[in-house]
Amino acid sequence: MTWLRDVLVDLAAESPRVDLAERTIATRDRRRRTAISLLAAAMVVVTALGGTLAVRLMPQAPTPATLGKDDLPARGVGPLSHAYKTFCKPVSGKAPSHCQDGGWRVVTRSGRTYHVPEALPSLSQRDSPLAISRDGRKIAYYSAKEGTFQVRDLASGAKTTAPMKLPAKKWLYSITRLMVSDDGRFLAFSKVPEFKDPALLFDMRDRVVRELPARWVPIGLSPDGATITLAEYSPNSQLRTISNLWPPTSPGNSTAVILPQHYDFSPLAPDGKTVAAVEDLSTAEKPCQMGDLVLLDPLTGKKRKTAPIRGLSPDVSQIYLRTWRSADEVTALTTSVHCRPSSEVPDDEPAQIDPPYRTFTAYAVNVRTGEARKLTTYRARDIFGIAMPGPPGAI
């Protein structure tokens, strides 16, 4: 994803808030065009930053019981396994039943599926994120009614609204990321490219807001909300830890490390001291090249463990690390796409605005041994529209 990193850097540094699609495509064509044909994910970034960034994911071949058209009940909902977005007009193939374009659906561990009508859909020029607490019992989303973020307890139905209005046209563009703390008290929001807007950390209980460094993805937060771990993947892979976050006027204590190569990071591990990552060895002429799984110290960047990943389907071309299932296992979402060297991609090849759904397969990967075991399979347009319990990963 080298060209994608380059495009995002250029956009963040130079671009205005308008005509993003045209500028992004032009930047891509000027670049060496690393055509990592992850294009299901990458092209949505390139073509839709100024258009439609409605990320699309649905479970593969769900039973009729899980294809429910019901809205999320006011209370009494059990813990979630994941959430996903739908899109209704793929260039080929079928859309999900009862599709609501750009809308969020949540799926309980028991298999019940609900639409979340209060969450603003991701349509033209906006990307509306959703986050799930680590235990699956709370969600956070951008409330269309309130004009800002809310945290909702699924069992009780209690809602807490962020203490700051965030107009969607100003804040919900680029690739947005959202992270909610285990107890629902803290909520972190960021996006890439960031332009002039800061990332934000909300204390939903005390009704205060703290600015965070823009462009960084929040991947971990201490239980007291005083220390946050952030990741950056362009132009260099970096990890950053900021402590003493409160009061919001405090400068905090920041430690950052630039890593010697590109990584795709997991969320912060349950121990609060470890980040897993997959080495990204891709180049313009050799795209979709993945290296080993590594365990990193987020404060120093030092490798604690390296292990080759074993047990994945042989055609896997991309790996994205997500929820930690235990201290020893992390979830890996994988996909298989045709990867072409940049020299084989015509300069005038059109991009697909609404590509068909693709297959994403989830594995549990043992971070000590690298052994992977298959969990489940999804159908998706790209990686950005699935939300899993706990902090997001980067990318």
Side-chain angles (χ1 to χ4, degrees), residues 68-390:
K69 59 182 178 180
D70 295 339
D71 289 345
L72 185 67
R75 61 184 63 83
V77 179
L80 303 182
S81 66
H82 67 285
Y84 63 93
K85 290 181 184 177
T86 60
F87 77 122
C88 304
K89 297 179 181 179
V91 68
S92 63
K94 294 182 179 181
S97 177
H98 309 295
C99 180
Q100 300 187 39
D101 211 8
W104 278 104
R105 289 181 177 177
V106 294
V107 184
T108 67
R109 294 175 189 170
S110 64
R112 293 299 305 272
T113 300
Y114 300 105
H115 174 59
V116 188
E118 294 181 357
L120 185 71
S122 292
L123 296 176
S124 178
Q125 299 189 39
R126 68 178 183 231
D127 178 38
S128 182
L130 183 142
I132 307 171
S133 64
R134 197 189 311 261
D135 63 5
R137 299 178 185 279
K138 299 176 180 64
I139 58 172
Y141 52 85
Y142 186 93
S143 168
K145 178 180 178 180
E146 299 296 336
T148 190
F149 293 106
Q150 282 189 331
V151 175
R152 175 172 174 173
D153 185 286
L154 294 171
S156 69
K159 302 174 186 177
T160 307
T161 302
M164 175 181 177
K165 296 290 186 179
L166 301 172
K169 289 184 178 180
K170 175 177 172 59
W171 290 90
L172 299 185
Y173 58 88
S174 305
I175 304 171
T176 59
R177 310 308 288 269
L178 195 63
M179 179 183 72
V180 62
S181 63
D182 293 350
D183 60 2
R185 175 179 173 181
F186 300 101
L187 186 66
F189 168 72
S190 70
K191 57 184 180 293
V192 178
E194 81 288 357
F195 298 100
K196 297 181 180 180
D197 301 320
L200 300 171
L201 178 63
F202 300 96
D203 184 330
M204 307 290 278
R205 187 190 71 184
D206 291 347
R207 312 290 297 163
V208 292
V209 184
R210 180 193 171 88
E211 291 189 0
L212 296 172
R215 195 183 179 83
W216 294 76
V217 178
I219 63 171
L221 188 69
S222 62
D224 61 0
T227 301
I228 194 168
T229 304
L230 307 163
E232 165 70 283
Y233 54 85
S234 71
N236 303 106
S237 292
Q238 302 180 58
L239 291 168
R240 185 169 184 171
T241 301
I242 306 176
S243 58
N244 297 323
L245 289 170
W246 305 103
T249 54
S250 166
N253 299 323
S254 180
T255 300
V257 56
I258 300 176
L259 299 167
Q261 66 185 80
H262 287 300
Y263 290 102
D264 291 331
F265 299 107
S266 77
L268 189 67
D271 65 4
K273 302 176 181 178
T274 306
V275 171
V278 176
E279 297 172 335
D280 182 355
L281 306 179
S282 300
T283 65
E285 290 303 307
K286 293 183 178 180
C288 299
Q289 300 296 305
M290 298 169 295
D292 293 335
L293 178 76
V294 299
L295 296 182
L296 301 170
D297 183 321
L299 292 175
T300 66
K302 182 179 179 180
K303 291 184 182 180
R304 292 174 175 166
K305 179 75 176 180
T306 300
I309 303 177
R310 298 184 293 270
L312 302 179
S313 173
D315 62 350
V316 166
S317 56
Q318 291 291 323
I319 302 175
Y320 308 93
L321 301 181
R322 292 296 184 263
T323 304
W324 284 81
R325 301 177 62 83
S326 68
D328 294 324
E329 281 192 327
V330 67
T331 302
L333 292 178
T334 70
T335 188
S336 303
V337 295
H338 176 57
C339 298
R340 292 179 291 172
S342 60
S343 59
E344 297 180 8
V345 181
D347 289 338
D348 58 352
E349 181 175 78
Q352 290 183 331
I353 299 298
D354 286 312
Y357 287 95
R358 296 179 180 271
T359 298
F360 282 76
T361 303
Y363 293 85
V365 179
N366 188 301
V367 297
R368 313 298 174 187
T369 66
E371 292 291 338
R373 57 185 179 88
K374 185 176 178 179
L375 297 173
T376 190
T377 302
Y378 306 94
R379 293 290 291 169
R381 171 181 168 173
D382 54 53
I383 191 63
F384 296 105
I386 183 170
M388 303 191 76

Side-chain angles (χ1 to χ4, degrees), residues 6-43:
D6 293 338
V7 168
L8 295 180
V9 173
D10 282 356
L11 281 172
E14 303 172 3
S15 297
R17 299 178 191 274
V18 295
D19 296 328
L20 295 182
E22 179 181 349
R23 285 178 173 265
T24 307
I25 294 171
T27 302
R28 178 200 67 185
D29 291 339
R30 291 197 307 270
R31 291 285 184 176
R32 58 185 180 274
R33 292 197 62 180
T34 305
I36 303 173
S37 293
L38 157 72
L39 295 182
M43 278 302 180

